[in-house]
């Protein structure tokens, strides 16, 4: 889609400067307000707990090793033709045959055996496309756009492996306002509203009022300190938590708007839009802190 004007807060970007506007808009979402955080006693408590938790996890349990067969099954679960920043897709490993599968397994084991490698740039370089939300929104407002991202293939696979190992625990420790357990919340919400309407029409004989709330830029405001703390008190620890911390703390994002690449943006906060476990994380992030 081609646009000639983009409004970002009080700024207006015209013609060739529109990509700069997108860069400004997304960067502001991923940047921290350090002055406010430093003045917040609550945040300082989170940060102190966070630092102590990471020290504890250095001596905790290891991530279970993965067999070559299981790593191939993991590879086959990934969307086969989605490019990462480096132009790689799962299909590159799949079509390489046994040599490609073994190489994929070797890289995966390398990260599992030493989670310190998971903070390197190559593992955390996110490729993000800017998409228009549609639904009659103003095409000239930055609030009408969102990003959908993908991380390097090998890290996406490890994210999925970690999710599969921990999802039962995470489901038990979601925020109470979330749908508990596996399943699609959108479909469950639709079914719930439909049942409420039917009950109101045929039993109560009274009007039904529905209030819809949208947490603005919800994924983008997640602070890793509170995320790690809630994950720890939800039963996730050891090298698994060190890996998750590396992923949250080390990301850089490159934006793609109409084929023009911009970046890197240092992700000081937030979760990946489209990340393997971002939705699960947000459900735990929303819990009342302990």
């Amino acid at each position: 889609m081609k646009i000639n004007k983009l409004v970002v807060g009080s700024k207006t970007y015209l013609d060739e400067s529109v990509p700069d506007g997108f860069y400004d808009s997304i960067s502001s979402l991923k940047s921290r307000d350090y002055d406010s955080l430093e003045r917040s006693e609550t945040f300082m408590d989170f940060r102190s707990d966070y630092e102590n938790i990471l020290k504890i996890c250095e001596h905790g349990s290891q991530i279970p090793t993965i067999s070559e067969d299981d790593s191939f099954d993991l590879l086959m679960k990934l969307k086969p033709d989605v490019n990462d920043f480096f132009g790689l897709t799962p299909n590159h490993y799949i079509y390489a045959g046994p040599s490609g599968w073994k190489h994929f397994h070797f890289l995966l084991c390398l990260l599992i055996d030493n989670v310190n490698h998971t903070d390197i740039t190559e593992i955390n370089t996110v490729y993000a496309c800017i998409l228009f939300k549609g639904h009659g929104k103003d095409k000239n407002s930055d609030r009408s756009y969102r990003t959908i991202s993908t991380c390097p293939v090998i890290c996406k696979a490890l994210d999925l492996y970690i999710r599969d190992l921990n999802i039962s625990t995470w489901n038990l420790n979601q925020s109470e306002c979330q749908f508990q357990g596996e399943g699609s919340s959108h479909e469950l919400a639709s079914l719930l509203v439909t049942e409420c309407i039917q009950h109101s029409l045929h039993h109560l004989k009274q009007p039904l009022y529905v209030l819809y709330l949208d947490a603005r830029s919800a994924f983008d405001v997640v602070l890793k300190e509170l995320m790690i703390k809630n994950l720890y008190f939800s039963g996730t620890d050891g090298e698994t938590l060190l890996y998750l911390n590396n992923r949250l703390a080390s990301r850089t994002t490159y934006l793609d708007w109409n084929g023009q690449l911009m970046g890197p943006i240092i992700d000081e906060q937030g979760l990946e839009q489209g990340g393997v476990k971002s939705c699960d994380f947000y459900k735990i992030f929303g819990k009342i802190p302990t």
Side-chain angles (χ1 to χ4, degrees):
M1 182 175 63
K2 182 74 173 177
I3 58 173
N4 298 314
K5 183 175 75 170
L6 185 71
V7 178
V8 182
S10 60
K11 301 177 182 177
T12 300
Y13 295 83
L14 300 174
D15 300 320
E16 298 301 321
S17 68
V18 165
D20 296 330
F22 280 118
Y23 183 85
D24 182 17
S25 175
I26 303 300
S27 296
S28 65
L29 289 175
K30 296 177 179 292
S31 300
R32 292 187 167 204
D33 182 350
Y34 285 99
D35 290 339
S36 296
L37 290 177
E38 294 297 327
R39 291 195 300 268
S40 169
E41 293 184 8
T42 302
F43 174 75
M44 300 306 287
D45 288 341
F46 290 160
R47 188 167 69 177
S48 177
D49 291 340
Y50 161 81
E51 292 170 351
N52 289 329
I53 286 168
L54 293 183
K55 291 178 182 178
I56 294 171
C57 288
E58 290 176 358
H59 308 285
S61 58
Q62 296 181 326
I63 300 173
T65 56
I66 185 170
S67 68
E68 191 170 323
D69 287 342
D70 287 342
S71 74
F72 179 75
D73 291 340
L74 198 64
L75 178 61
M76 297 301 291
K77 288 182 181 180
L78 302 176
K79 293 182 178 179
D81 55 357
V82 176
N83 286 286
D84 64 15
F85 178 76
F86 303 102
L88 283 174
T89 70
N91 270 340
H92 283 90
Y93 292 100
I94 294 171
Y95 290 151
S99 296
W101 311 339
K102 288 179 182 295
H103 184 61
F104 177 81
H105 178 240
F106 169 77
L107 293 175
L108 200 56
C109 288
L110 185 66
L111 296 179
I112 292 173
D113 291 342
N114 189 347
V115 294
N116 292 325
H117 292 323
T118 60
D119 65 355
I120 63 176
T121 301
E122 290 78 6
I123 293 300
N124 297 290
T125 302
V126 175
Y127 172 76
C129 290
I130 300 173
L131 304 175
F132 179 56
K133 294 180 181 178
H135 302 292
K137 294 183 181 295
D138 180 5
K139 293 182 180 180
N140 298 123
S141 170
D142 71 317
R143 301 306 307 165
S144 302
Y145 296 83
R146 57 166 293 184
T147 59
I148 188 71
S149 64
T150 182
C151 64
V153 173
I154 196 67
C155 203
K156 190 184 299 183
L158 187 49
D159 281 352
L160 181 58
Y161 180 57
I162 295 297
R163 182 189 185 277
D164 287 347
L165 290 174
N166 293 275
I167 189 60
S168 59
T169 299
W170 295 347
N171 281 339
L172 292 173
N173 288 277
Q174 297 174 7
S175 171
E176 291 182 358
C177 64
Q178 301 289 342
F179 288 95
Q180 303 297 308
E182 281 289 276
S184 176
S185 294
H186 292 84
E187 281 77 5
L188 290 173
S190 296
L191 180 61
L192 176 61
V193 172
T194 300
E195 288 297 315
C196 288
I197 292 172
Q198 291 298 317
H199 185 73
S200 176
L201 287 174
H202 301 291
H203 296 281
L204 297 179
K205 307 293 184 182
Q206 293 181 355
L208 176 69
Y209 297 91
V210 180
L211 175 65
Y212 294 97
L213 300 176
D214 178 26
R216 182 177 177 180
S217 301
F219 279 18
D220 298 303
V221 300
V222 170
L223 298 175
K224 68 178 184 297
E225 289 84 355
L226 179 55
M227 185 74 256
I228 292 298
K229 178 179 178 179
N230 280 357
L231 281 168
Y232 179 75
F233 285 107
S234 296
T236 306
D237 58 13
E239 289 191 349
T240 296
L241 204 57
L242 294 178
Y243 166 70
L244 298 177
N245 178 68
N246 282 345
R247 292 282 286 119
L248 290 168
S250 308
R251 291 194 324 274
T252 55
T253 294
Y254 287 82
L255 301 174
D256 185 344
W257 168 250
N258 283 346
Q260 183 164 342
L261 206 60
M262 300 164 280
I265 296 173
I266 307 301
D267 293 47
E268 295 178 336
Q269 62 184 20
L271 302 170
E272 290 175 25
Q273 294 281 359
V276 170
K277 52 195 177 340
S278 294
C279 185
D280 303 305
F281 278 4
Y282 189 74
K283 293 174 184 178
I284 294 176
F285 178 77
K287 291 186 65 175
I288 297 176
T290 52

